[in-house]
Amino acid sequence: MADFEILAGGYTFKAVYHEDMAPETVAAFKKHLLGLKSKIIHVRWSGQAGWIPFGDLDLGIGHENGTCYPLPGEIVIYPGGKSETELLIGYGYVNFASKAGQLPGNHFATIVEGNENLKALGEKFLWEGAQDIEFRPL
């Protein structure tokens, strides 16, 4: 059963939390980002992923369950440090990085429904620009 829903670029996805592997990140997402309406853009350096930059937003978390290579549908948050705070959703091959170098993102959730539309969403924000995105509780 899914924990939250993502509406992005006309597509709907459902995702599950990984509270056992990233409890601080899940708690911070629920507190600060669940309910967020924003824009998602294509990553600059990381390959095939969507990106929401948050600048100097302090989520009050450190690094946990880190990966530099999130798979399609895996959702990660980089809590800041070498680069700004950011959220990333992979739709293809990803090597998570910034102008400061490779970044380990906290893998805290994974899309479990709608994965067949990830590539189409990625191509949409790549070729058409920023797309609306919303994270909603179920």
Side-chain angles (χ1 to χ4, degrees):
M1 176 185 267
D3 296 311
F4 66 100
E5 184 173 64
I6 304 164
L7 306 175
Y11 299 101
T12 301
F13 306 93
K14 292 187 179 175
V16 296
Y17 294 120
H18 300 301
E19 292 185 86
D20 56 332
M21 297 182 289
E24 291 180 17
T25 307
V26 170
F29 177 83
K30 288 178 181 179
K31 180 178 180 182
H32 300 286
L33 302 176
L34 193 58
L36 175 74
K37 292 181 182 180
S38 188
K39 297 280 187 183
I40 189 166
I41 59 177
H42 203 276
V43 295
R44 294 180 193 164
W45 296 281
S46 300
Q48 296 173 309
W51 175 56
I52 304 172
F54 294 114
D56 61 359
L57 176 67
D58 183 359
L59 296 173
I61 58 174
H63 296 279
E64 62 181 0
N65 198 35
T67 182
C68 295
Y69 305 101
L71 298 173
E74 292 185 348
I75 306 169
V76 300
I77 289 178
Y78 180 73
K82 289 191 337 184
S83 185
E84 66 187 304
T85 302
E86 52 196 286
L87 183 143
L88 186 135
I89 303 172
Y91 72 86
Y93 175 78
V94 178
N95 182 354
F96 192 15
S98 74
K99 62 185 175 184
Q102 202 162 18
L103 300 176
N106 297 356
H107 176 205
F108 75 97
T110 300
I111 293 173
V112 293
E113 290 182 37
N115 301 67
E116 68 277 6
N117 294 316
L118 281 168
K119 184 177 178 188
L121 174 62
E123 290 176 356
K124 191 169 190 176
F125 52 65
L126 174 63
W127 295 106
E128 296 177 25
Q131 298 295 310
D132 291 330
I133 189 167
E134 180 179 357
F135 299 95
R136 300 190 328 190
L138 290 176

